[in-house]
Amino acid sequence: MRLLITAGPTREPIDPVRFLSNRSSGRMGYALAEAASKAGHEVLLISGPVSILPPANVELIRVETAREMFDAVRIHLPGCTAAIFSAAVADYRPAHTASQKIKKSATTLTLELERTEDILGSVRSHFAFTGFLVGFAAETENLIAHAQDKLSRKGCDLIIANDVSQPGIGFDSAENEVTLCLPGGQTIPLPRQSKTTLARELIAHISRLSSLKSPK
Ligand code: CTP
């Protein structure tokens, strides 16, 4: 496979020294990139700011904002046979970025936010990607129902669903426990394990399912 993977958080600037972001460490996406590369796949990793080292033999494109990640995906997706969207993209950004540091004055400050680009949601509709498409669903309730809904709304072939209400897994953790959601309502639960071993298992599933979709 030639595989595009998005990973990490995005940063949406408020002023020259502040931004909106989230707790994503990038570990799941980086572990997937490493597992895929070790399994012999060609990997392009599009990453928001993280503090971990990129795996060897992976082409890395660094971005900061959701818009930059959107542009990088749009440019690099053609030619890929599969794509995994593991980045925790900010859903909103400040509607205006101040050109100078905002000084404190009133006791409250209201920020107006606007929606960012839905990168995964654009892959089929705007980028006309026909390869194997994998999204993540991080949910705190009704995990499978929300994941199945995301699968059909975004035209995915697979959603990797994780329950982020459980302590010790998912966001900013070394471990994860996920359920694979496939078209037709099929689900495959995978046990709690390190992101490294889970990544190997996920790449094996993705490689198998993607070759079933488009046999070589
Ligand atoms: N995603 C993306 N671009 C965004 C937001 C999310 O590519 N602007 C991708 C994530 O990388 C992940 C998937 O979409 O693979 C699910 O993200 P989530 O925010 O849970 O999806 P939404 O459909 O926006 O769900 P919700 O209604 O729960 O906000």
Side-chain angles (χ1 to χ4, degrees):
M1 293 187 288
R2 176 161 169 83
L3 187 58
L4 180 149
I5 300 177
T6 70
T10 63
R11 284 181 180 172
E12 310 302 327
I14 297 169
D15 70 12
V17 296
R18 303 182 178 99
F19 53 78
L20 290 179
S21 193
N22 58 65
R23 289 182 187 279
S24 167
S25 64
R27 270 187 286 210
M28 192 68 247
Y30 276 54
L32 285 165
E34 177 157 27
S37 157
K38 283 187 172 160
H41 303 292
E42 212 181 312
V43 182
L44 175 70
L45 178 61
I46 299 178
S47 174
V50 296
S51 55
I52 49 178
L53 288 173
N57 304 318
V58 161
E59 194 182 334
L60 176 68
I61 294 171
R62 293 177 205 271
V63 297
E64 289 247 336
T65 63
R67 184 174 283 139
E68 286 171 8
M69 190 173 276
F70 178 86
D71 286 338
V73 169
R74 181 173 45 76
I75 291 164
H76 294 282
L77 198 55
C80 293
T81 48
I84 308 176
F85 287 78
S86 70
V89 184
D91 286 325
Y92 291 90
R93 69 176 148 243
H96 311 283
T97 301
S99 58
Q100 304 298 330
K101 185 181 167 205
I102 299 170
K103 305 298 280 180
K104 59 182 158 308
S105 50
T107 49
T108 62
L109 172 70
T110 305
L111 278 180
E112 189 191 346
L113 304 180
E114 65 180 20
R115 287 284 301 272
T116 56
E117 296 75 12
D118 182 353
I119 308 171
L120 176 62
S122 305
V123 167
R124 298 290 193 214
S125 57
H126 287 68
F127 308 153
F129 181 65
T130 54
F132 194 80
L133 183 60
V134 184
F136 271 76
E139 308 289 349
T140 55
E141 57 179 359
N142 304 327
L143 180 67
I144 303 302
H146 282 313
Q148 292 289 357
D149 172 58
K150 223 160 265 187
L151 181 86
S152 56
R153 259 193 303 126
K154 306 205 175 184
C156 294
D157 297 296
L158 171 67
I159 288 278
I160 302 167
N162 69 324
D163 178 353
V164 286
S165 68
Q166 286 188 54
I169 59 164
F171 260 40
D172 203 14
S173 303
E175 295 192 319
N176 210 351
E177 178 182 331
V178 302
T179 301
L180 307 188
C181 297
L182 297 149
Q186 192 196 346
T187 56
I188 306 172
L190 302 181
R192 179 171 177 156
Q193 55 195 305
S194 77
K195 286 183 176 173
T196 314
T197 56
L198 177 63
R200 269 185 241 135
E201 208 174 323
L202 289 172
I203 292 299
H205 277 289
I206 291 166
S207 177
R208 176 180 58 83
L209 292 165
S210 128
S211 63
L212 287 177
K213 185 183 173 184
S214 50
K216 288 263 147 21

PDB file of all heavy atoms in Angstrom, residues 164-199:
ATOM      1  N   VAL A 164     -13.360   7.338  24.771  1.00  0.00           N
ATOM      2  CA  VAL A 164     -12.418   8.223  25.467  1.00  0.00           C
ATOM      3  C   VAL A 164     -12.877   8.588  26.882  1.00  0.00           C
ATOM      4  O   VAL A 164     -12.219   9.360  27.562  1.00  0.00           O
ATOM      5  CB  VAL A 164     -12.115   9.500  24.638  1.00  0.00           C
ATOM      6  CG1 VAL A 164     -11.206   9.185  23.478  1.00  0.00           C
ATOM      7  CG2 VAL A 164     -13.380  10.184  24.160  1.00  0.00           C
ATOM      8  N   SER A 165     -14.015   8.016  27.313  1.00  0.00           N
ATOM      9  CA  SER A 165     -14.436   8.292  28.691  1.00  0.00           C
ATOM     10  C   SER A 165     -13.695   7.370  29.665  1.00  0.00           C
ATOM     11  O   SER A 165     -13.704   7.590  30.866  1.00  0.00           O
ATOM     12  CB  SER A 165     -15.943   8.105  28.841  1.00  0.00           C
ATOM     13  OG  SER A 165     -16.279   6.746  28.701  1.00  0.00           O
ATOM     14  N   GLN A 166     -13.045   6.306  29.135  1.00  0.00           N
ATOM     15  CA  GLN A 166     -12.339   5.372  30.019  1.00  0.00           C
ATOM     16  C   GLN A 166     -10.943   5.895  30.330  1.00  0.00           C
ATOM     17  O   GLN A 166     -10.205   6.248  29.417  1.00  0.00           O
ATOM     18  CB  GLN A 166     -12.184   4.017  29.320  1.00  0.00           C
ATOM     19  CG  GLN A 166     -13.469   3.227  29.242  1.00  0.00           C
ATOM     20  CD  GLN A 166     -13.178   1.836  28.706  1.00  0.00           C
ATOM     21  OE1 GLN A 166     -12.341   1.122  29.231  1.00  0.00           O
ATOM     22  NE2 GLN A 166     -13.870   1.467  27.641  1.00  0.00           N
ATOM     23  N   PRO A 167     -10.549   5.905  31.619  1.00  0.00           N
ATOM     24  CA  PRO A 167      -9.203   6.394  31.953  1.00  0.00           C
ATOM     25  C   PRO A 167      -8.123   5.438  31.432  1.00  0.00           C
ATOM     26  O   PRO A 167      -8.348   4.233  31.356  1.00  0.00           O
ATOM     27  CB  PRO A 167      -9.203   6.433  33.487  1.00  0.00           C
ATOM     28  CG  PRO A 167     -10.335   5.572  33.925  1.00  0.00           C
ATOM     29  CD  PRO A 167     -11.323   5.505  32.802  1.00  0.00           C
ATOM     30  N   GLY A 168      -6.979   5.996  31.042  1.00  0.00           N
ATOM     31  CA  GLY A 168      -5.817   5.170  30.685  1.00  0.00           C
ATOM     32  C   GLY A 168      -5.768   4.701  29.246  1.00  0.00           C
ATOM     33  O   GLY A 168      -4.832   4.019  28.848  1.00  0.00           O
ATOM     34  N   ILE A 169      -6.799   5.019  28.452  1.00  0.00           N
ATOM     35  CA  ILE A 169      -6.730   4.647  27.036  1.00  0.00           C
ATOM     36  C   ILE A 169      -7.057   5.865  26.172  1.00  0.00           C
ATOM     37  O   ILE A 169      -7.685   6.812  26.628  1.00  0.00           O
ATOM     38  CB  ILE A 169      -7.686   3.467  26.670  1.00  0.00           C
ATOM     39  CG1 ILE A 169      -9.140   3.807  26.968  1.00  0.00           C
ATOM     40  CG2 ILE A 169      -7.258   2.178  27.327  1.00  0.00           C
ATOM     41  CD1 ILE A 169     -10.128   2.878  26.293  1.00  0.00           C
ATOM     42  N   GLY A 170      -6.625   5.778  24.930  1.00  0.00           N
ATOM     43  CA  GLY A 170      -6.958   6.832  23.969  1.00  0.00           C
ATOM     44  C   GLY A 170      -6.059   8.040  24.089  1.00  0.00           C
ATOM     45  O   GLY A 170      -4.835   7.902  24.153  1.00  0.00           O
ATOM     46  N   PHE A 171      -6.675   9.205  24.163  1.00  0.00           N
ATOM     47  CA  PHE A 171      -5.960  10.488  24.159  1.00  0.00           C
ATOM     48  C   PHE A 171      -4.799  10.533  25.144  1.00  0.00           C
ATOM     49  O   PHE A 171      -4.973  10.302  26.337  1.00  0.00           O
ATOM     50  CB  PHE A 171      -6.955  11.596  24.553  1.00  0.00           C
ATOM     51  CG  PHE A 171      -7.481  12.342  23.365  1.00  0.00           C
ATOM     52  CD1 PHE A 171      -7.807  11.683  22.203  1.00  0.00           C
ATOM     53  CD2 PHE A 171      -7.652  13.715  23.429  1.00  0.00           C
ATOM     54  CE1 PHE A 171      -8.290  12.379  21.104  1.00  0.00           C
ATOM     55  CE2 PHE A 171      -8.137  14.421  22.345  1.00  0.00           C
ATOM     56  CZ  PHE A 171      -8.460  13.745  21.177  1.00  0.00           C
ATOM     57  N   ASP A 172      -3.614  10.856  24.642  1.00  0.00           N
ATOM     58  CA  ASP A 172      -2.455  11.113  25.496  1.00  0.00           C
ATOM     59  C   ASP A 172      -2.116   9.939  26.412  1.00  0.00           C
ATOM     60  O   ASP A 172      -1.572  10.128  27.497  1.00  0.00           O
ATOM     61  CB  ASP A 172      -2.693  12.390  26.331  1.00  0.00           C
ATOM     62  CG  ASP A 172      -1.378  13.034  26.792  1.00  0.00           C
ATOM     63  OD1 ASP A 172      -0.328  12.649  26.258  1.00  0.00           O
ATOM     64  OD2 ASP A 172      -1.427  13.892  27.678  1.00  0.00           O
ATOM     65  N   SER A 173      -2.454   8.701  26.006  1.00  0.00           N
ATOM     66  CA  SER A 173      -2.132   7.521  26.814  1.00  0.00           C
ATOM     67  C   SER A 173      -1.237   6.600  25.996  1.00  0.00           C
ATOM     68  O   SER A 173      -1.207   6.682  24.775  1.00  0.00           O
ATOM     69  CB  SER A 173      -3.398   6.735  27.160  1.00  0.00           C
ATOM     70  OG  SER A 173      -4.307   7.539  27.828  1.00  0.00           O
ATOM     71  N   ALA A 174      -0.545   5.679  26.691  1.00  0.00           N
ATOM     72  CA  ALA A 174       0.325   4.733  25.977  1.00  0.00           C
ATOM     73  C   ALA A 174      -0.483   3.560  25.443  1.00  0.00           C
ATOM     74  O   ALA A 174      -0.046   2.828  24.567  1.00  0.00           O
ATOM     75  CB  ALA A 174       1.410   4.242  26.901  1.00  0.00           C
ATOM     76  N   GLU A 175      -1.693   3.356  26.003  1.00  0.00           N
ATOM     77  CA  GLU A 175      -2.503   2.206  25.598  1.00  0.00           C
ATOM     78  C   GLU A 175      -3.796   2.643  24.923  1.00  0.00           C
ATOM     79  O   GLU A 175      -4.225   3.788  25.068  1.00  0.00           O
ATOM     80  CB  GLU A 175      -2.873   1.373  26.835  1.00  0.00           C
ATOM     81  CG  GLU A 175      -1.665   0.744  27.492  1.00  0.00           C
ATOM     82  CD  GLU A 175      -2.067  -0.292  28.520  1.00  0.00           C
ATOM     83  OE1 GLU A 175      -3.039  -0.049  29.267  1.00  0.00           O
ATOM     84  OE2 GLU A 175      -1.420  -1.354  28.561  1.00  0.00           O
ATOM     85  N   ASN A 176      -4.385   1.690  24.212  1.00  0.00           N
ATOM     86  CA  ASN A 176      -5.684   1.968  23.602  1.00  0.00           C
ATOM     87  C   ASN A 176      -6.491   0.670  23.500  1.00  0.00           C
ATOM     88  O   ASN A 176      -5.926  -0.426  23.507  1.00  0.00           O
ATOM     89  CB  ASN A 176      -5.494   2.587  22.207  1.00  0.00           C
ATOM     90  CG  ASN A 176      -6.627   3.519  21.833  1.00  0.00           C
ATOM     91  OD1 ASN A 176      -7.639   3.583  22.534  1.00  0.00           O
ATOM     92  ND2 ASN A 176      -6.475   4.236  20.752  1.00  0.00           N
ATOM     93  N   GLU A 177      -7.790   0.816  23.441  1.00  0.00           N
ATOM     94  CA  GLU A 177      -8.691  -0.327  23.281  1.00  0.00           C
ATOM     95  C   GLU A 177      -9.731   0.141  22.281  1.00  0.00           C
ATOM     96  O   GLU A 177     -10.384   1.168  22.522  1.00  0.00           O
ATOM     97  CB  GLU A 177      -9.342  -0.642  24.635  1.00  0.00           C
ATOM     98  CG  GLU A 177     -10.332  -1.767  24.600  1.00  0.00           C
ATOM     99  CD  GLU A 177     -10.980  -1.985  25.976  1.00  0.00           C
ATOM    100  OE1 GLU A 177     -10.339  -1.704  27.013  1.00  0.00           O
ATOM    101  OE2 GLU A 177     -12.145  -2.399  25.996  1.00  0.00           O
ATOM    102  N   VAL A 178      -9.849  -0.536  21.169  1.00  0.00           N
ATOM    103  CA  VAL A 178     -10.704  -0.027  20.103  1.00  0.00           C
ATOM    104  C   VAL A 178     -11.635  -1.115  19.569  1.00  0.00           C
ATOM    105  O   VAL A 178     -11.416  -2.300  19.796  1.00  0.00           O
ATOM    106  CB  VAL A 178      -9.870   0.531  18.913  1.00  0.00           C
ATOM    107  CG1 VAL A 178      -8.930   1.637  19.360  1.00  0.00           C
ATOM    108  CG2 VAL A 178      -9.097  -0.569  18.207  1.00  0.00           C
ATOM    109  N   THR A 179     -12.662  -0.677  18.874  1.00  0.00           N
ATOM    110  CA  THR A 179     -13.543  -1.596  18.151  1.00  0.00           C
ATOM    111  C   THR A 179     -13.522  -1.189  16.682  1.00  0.00           C
ATOM    112  O   THR A 179     -13.667   0.003  16.375  1.00  0.00           O
ATOM    113  CB  THR A 179     -14.985  -1.506  18.700  1.00  0.00           C
ATOM    114  OG1 THR A 179     -14.956  -1.839  20.082  1.00  0.00           O
ATOM    115  CG2 THR A 179     -15.929  -2.461  17.983  1.00  0.00           C
ATOM    116  N   LEU A 180     -13.323  -2.163  15.813  1.00  0.00           N
ATOM    117  CA  LEU A 180     -13.370  -1.877  14.377  1.00  0.00           C
ATOM    118  C   LEU A 180     -14.824  -1.923  13.920  1.00  0.00           C
ATOM    119  O   LEU A 180     -15.531  -2.883  14.217  1.00  0.00           O
ATOM    120  CB  LEU A 180     -12.559  -2.908  13.584  1.00  0.00           C
ATOM    121  CG  LEU A 180     -11.109  -3.140  14.015  1.00  0.00           C
ATOM    122  CD1 LEU A 180     -10.395  -4.040  13.002  1.00  0.00           C
ATOM    123  CD2 LEU A 180     -10.372  -1.825  14.161  1.00  0.00           C
ATOM    124  N   CYS A 181     -15.268  -0.882  13.226  1.00  0.00           N
ATOM    125  CA  CYS A 181     -16.640  -0.839  12.704  1.00  0.00           C
ATOM    126  C   CYS A 181     -16.568  -0.852  11.187  1.00  0.00           C
ATOM    127  O   CYS A 181     -15.916   0.003  10.575  1.00  0.00           O
ATOM    128  CB  CYS A 181     -17.350   0.421  13.180  1.00  0.00           C
ATOM    129  SG  CYS A 181     -17.527   0.468  14.967  1.00  0.00           S
ATOM    130  N   LEU A 182     -17.246  -1.833  10.607  1.00  0.00           N
ATOM    131  CA  LEU A 182     -17.201  -2.047   9.160  1.00  0.00           C
ATOM    132  C   LEU A 182     -18.579  -1.821   8.560  1.00  0.00           C
ATOM    133  O   LEU A 182     -19.592  -1.904   9.274  1.00  0.00           O
ATOM    134  CB  LEU A 182     -16.757  -3.488   8.873  1.00  0.00           C
ATOM    135  CG  LEU A 182     -15.346  -3.813   9.360  1.00  0.00           C
ATOM    136  CD1 LEU A 182     -15.220  -5.252   9.761  1.00  0.00           C
ATOM    137  CD2 LEU A 182     -14.354  -3.479   8.274  1.00  0.00           C
ATOM    138  N   PRO A 183     -18.639  -1.563   7.243  1.00  0.00           N
ATOM    139  CA  PRO A 183     -19.952  -1.404   6.606  1.00  0.00           C
ATOM    140  C   PRO A 183     -20.801  -2.664   6.823  1.00  0.00           C
ATOM    141  O   PRO A 183     -20.265  -3.766   6.914  1.00  0.00           O
ATOM    142  CB  PRO A 183     -19.607  -1.236   5.119  1.00  0.00           C
ATOM    143  CG  PRO A 183     -18.194  -0.763   5.098  1.00  0.00           C
ATOM    144  CD  PRO A 183     -17.528  -1.373   6.291  1.00  0.00           C
ATOM    145  N   GLY A 184     -22.101  -2.471   6.926  1.00  0.00           N
ATOM    146  CA  GLY A 184     -22.993  -3.609   7.144  1.00  0.00           C
ATOM    147  C   GLY A 184     -23.177  -3.914   8.620  1.00  0.00           C
ATOM    148  O   GLY A 184     -23.800  -4.912   8.982  1.00  0.00           O
ATOM    149  N   GLY A 185     -22.607  -3.073   9.487  1.00  0.00           N
ATOM    150  CA  GLY A 185     -22.829  -3.247  10.925  1.00  0.00           C
ATOM    151  C   GLY A 185     -21.879  -4.216  11.602  1.00  0.00           C
ATOM    152  O   GLY A 185     -21.991  -4.448  12.802  1.00  0.00           O
ATOM    153  N   GLN A 186     -20.925  -4.792  10.850  1.00  0.00           N
ATOM    154  CA  GLN A 186     -19.988  -5.734  11.476  1.00  0.00           C
ATOM    155  C   GLN A 186     -19.028  -4.995  12.413  1.00  0.00           C
ATOM    156  O   GLN A 186     -18.553  -3.902  12.073  1.00  0.00           O
ATOM    157  CB  GLN A 186     -19.181  -6.449  10.380  1.00  0.00           C
ATOM    158  CG  GLN A 186     -18.398  -7.653  10.887  1.00  0.00           C
ATOM    159  CD  GLN A 186     -17.318  -8.106   9.902  1.00  0.00           C
ATOM    160  OE1 GLN A 186     -17.312  -7.708   8.736  1.00  0.00           O
ATOM    161  NE2 GLN A 186     -16.410  -8.925  10.381  1.00  0.00           N
ATOM    162  N   THR A 187     -18.772  -5.570  13.592  1.00  0.00           N
ATOM    163  CA  THR A 187     -17.817  -4.953  14.522  1.00  0.00           C
ATOM    164  C   THR A 187     -16.798  -5.995  14.982  1.00  0.00           C
ATOM    165  O   THR A 187     -17.137  -7.179  15.118  1.00  0.00           O
ATOM    166  CB  THR A 187     -18.521  -4.377  15.772  1.00  0.00           C
ATOM    167  OG1 THR A 187     -19.277  -5.412  16.395  1.00  0.00           O
ATOM    168  CG2 THR A 187     -19.412  -3.207  15.446  1.00  0.00           C
ATOM    169  N   ILE A 188     -15.554  -5.556  15.178  1.00  0.00           N
ATOM    170  CA  ILE A 188     -14.497  -6.451  15.675  1.00  0.00           C
ATOM    171  C   ILE A 188     -13.832  -5.760  16.863  1.00  0.00           C
ATOM    172  O   ILE A 188     -13.112  -4.773  16.694  1.00  0.00           O
ATOM    173  CB  ILE A 188     -13.424  -6.724  14.584  1.00  0.00           C
ATOM    174  CG1 ILE A 188     -14.048  -7.245  13.288  1.00  0.00           C
ATOM    175  CG2 ILE A 188     -12.350  -7.680  15.107  1.00  0.00           C
ATOM    176  CD1 ILE A 188     -13.078  -7.347  12.104  1.00  0.00           C
ATOM    177  N   PRO A 189     -14.116  -6.229  18.098  1.00  0.00           N
ATOM    178  CA  PRO A 189     -13.460  -5.600  19.255  1.00  0.00           C
ATOM    179  C   PRO A 189     -12.021  -6.082  19.400  1.00  0.00           C
ATOM    180  O   PRO A 189     -11.754  -7.272  19.240  1.00  0.00           O
ATOM    181  CB  PRO A 189     -14.328  -6.056  20.439  1.00  0.00           C
ATOM    182  CG  PRO A 189     -15.038  -7.277  19.977  1.00  0.00           C
ATOM    183  CD  PRO A 189     -15.028  -7.320  18.477  1.00  0.00           C
ATOM    184  N   LEU A 190     -11.093  -5.179  19.680  1.00  0.00           N
ATOM    185  CA  LEU A 190      -9.697  -5.562  19.913  1.00  0.00           C
ATOM    186  C   LEU A 190      -9.379  -5.248  21.372  1.00  0.00           C
ATOM    187  O   LEU A 190      -9.790  -4.207  21.891  1.00  0.00           O
ATOM    188  CB  LEU A 190      -8.754  -4.782  18.984  1.00  0.00           C
ATOM    189  CG  LEU A 190      -8.998  -4.938  17.476  1.00  0.00           C
ATOM    190  CD1 LEU A 190      -7.979  -4.129  16.676  1.00  0.00           C
ATOM    191  CD2 LEU A 190      -8.917  -6.398  17.054  1.00  0.00           C
ATOM    192  N   PRO A 191      -8.661  -6.132  22.064  1.00  0.00           N
ATOM    193  CA  PRO A 191      -8.419  -5.924  23.496  1.00  0.00           C
ATOM    194  C   PRO A 191      -7.490  -4.746  23.788  1.00  0.00           C
ATOM    195  O   PRO A 191      -6.742  -4.311  22.907  1.00  0.00           O
ATOM    196  CB  PRO A 191      -7.754  -7.240  23.928  1.00  0.00           C
ATOM    197  CG  PRO A 191      -7.168  -7.807  22.689  1.00  0.00           C
ATOM    198  CD  PRO A 191      -8.029  -7.354  21.550  1.00  0.00           C
ATOM    199  N   ARG A 192      -7.547  -4.273  25.030  1.00  0.00           N
ATOM    200  CA  ARG A 192      -6.670  -3.186  25.480  1.00  0.00           C
ATOM    201  C   ARG A 192      -5.208  -3.631  25.377  1.00  0.00           C
ATOM    202  O   ARG A 192      -4.857  -4.721  25.813  1.00  0.00           O
ATOM    203  CB  ARG A 192      -7.005  -2.851  26.931  1.00  0.00           C
ATOM    204  CG  ARG A 192      -6.134  -1.765  27.502  1.00  0.00           C
ATOM    205  CD  ARG A 192      -6.692  -1.365  28.847  1.00  0.00           C
ATOM    206  NE  ARG A 192      -5.840  -0.364  29.463  1.00  0.00           N
ATOM    207  CZ  ARG A 192      -6.274   0.491  30.368  1.00  0.00           C
ATOM    208  NH1 ARG A 192      -7.522   0.465  30.774  1.00  0.00           N
ATOM    209  NH2 ARG A 192      -5.450   1.367  30.890  1.00  0.00           N
ATOM    210  N   GLN A 193      -4.390  -2.818  24.775  1.00  0.00           N
ATOM    211  CA  GLN A 193      -2.973  -3.148  24.600  1.00  0.00           C
ATOM    212  C   GLN A 193      -2.187  -1.876  24.303  1.00  0.00           C
ATOM    213  O   GLN A 193      -2.786  -0.806  24.126  1.00  0.00           O
ATOM    214  CB  GLN A 193      -2.797  -4.167  23.472  1.00  0.00           C
ATOM    215  CG  GLN A 193      -3.397  -3.728  22.153  1.00  0.00           C
ATOM    216  CD  GLN A 193      -3.539  -4.864  21.139  1.00  0.00           C
ATOM    217  OE1 GLN A 193      -2.582  -5.519  20.841  1.00  0.00           O
ATOM    218  NE2 GLN A 193      -4.742  -5.083  20.636  1.00  0.00           N
ATOM    219  N   SER A 194      -0.868  -1.988  24.238  1.00  0.00           N
ATOM    220  CA  SER A 194      -0.051  -0.802  23.951  1.00  0.00           C
ATOM    221  C   SER A 194      -0.366  -0.326  22.534  1.00  0.00           C
ATOM    222  O   SER A 194      -0.760  -1.129  21.669  1.00  0.00           O
ATOM    223  CB  SER A 194       1.432  -1.131  24.063  1.00  0.00           C
ATOM    224  OG  SER A 194       1.855  -1.825  22.913  1.00  0.00           O
ATOM    225  N   LYS A 195      -0.168   0.963  22.316  1.00  0.00           N
ATOM    226  CA  LYS A 195      -0.451   1.513  20.985  1.00  0.00           C
ATOM    227  C   LYS A 195       0.467   0.876  19.935  1.00  0.00           C
ATOM    228  O   LYS A 195       0.088   0.750  18.769  1.00  0.00           O
ATOM    229  CB  LYS A 195      -0.331   3.038  20.997  1.00  0.00           C
ATOM    230  CG  LYS A 195      -1.518   3.689  21.715  1.00  0.00           C
ATOM    231  CD  LYS A 195      -1.495   5.200  21.702  1.00  0.00           C
ATOM    232  CE  LYS A 195      -2.770   5.752  22.353  1.00  0.00           C
ATOM    233  NZ  LYS A 195      -2.762   7.212  22.521  1.00  0.00           N
ATOM    234  N   THR A 196       1.659   0.453  20.349  1.00  0.00           N
ATOM    235  CA  THR A 196       2.593  -0.181  19.402  1.00  0.00           C
ATOM    236  C   THR A 196       2.065  -1.529  18.913  1.00  0.00           C
ATOM    237  O   THR A 196       2.047  -1.794  17.715  1.00  0.00           O
ATOM    238  CB  THR A 196       3.968  -0.380  20.083  1.00  0.00           C
ATOM    239  OG1 THR A 196       4.301   0.825  20.754  1.00  0.00           O
ATOM    240  CG2 THR A 196       5.037  -0.743  19.090  1.00  0.00           C
ATOM    241  N   THR A 197       1.628  -2.384  19.838  1.00  0.00           N
ATOM    242  CA  THR A 197       1.142  -3.706  19.394  1.00  0.00           C
ATOM    243  C   THR A 197      -0.211  -3.567  18.695  1.00  0.00           C
ATOM    244  O   THR A 197      -0.476  -4.237  17.709  1.00  0.00           O
ATOM    245  CB  THR A 197       1.042  -4.723  20.558  1.00  0.00           C
ATOM    246  OG1 THR A 197       0.205  -4.158  21.575  1.00  0.00           O
ATOM    247  CG2 THR A 197       2.394  -5.059  21.134  1.00  0.00           C
ATOM    248  N   LEU A 198      -1.035  -2.652  19.193  1.00  0.00           N
ATOM    249  CA  LEU A 198      -2.328  -2.409  18.549  1.00  0.00           C
ATOM    250  C   LEU A 198      -2.126  -1.932  17.103  1.00  0.00           C
ATOM    251  O   LEU A 198      -2.828  -2.374  16.186  1.00  0.00           O
ATOM    252  CB  LEU A 198      -3.125  -1.370  19.346  1.00  0.00           C
ATOM    253  CG  LEU A 198      -4.468  -0.967  18.743  1.00  0.00           C
ATOM    254  CD1 LEU A 198      -5.421  -2.152  18.676  1.00  0.00           C
ATOM    255  CD2 LEU A 198      -5.104   0.163  19.546  1.00  0.00           C
ATOM    256  N   ALA A 199      -1.136  -1.057  16.915  1.00  0.00           N
ATOM    257  CA  ALA A 199      -0.873  -0.517  15.569  1.00  0.00           C
ATOM    258  C   ALA A 199      -0.544  -1.645  14.599  1.00  0.00           C
ATOM    259  O   ALA A 199      -1.018  -1.647  13.455  1.00  0.00           O
ATOM    260  CB  ALA A 199       0.265   0.491  15.620  1.00  0.00           C
TER     261      ALA A 199
END
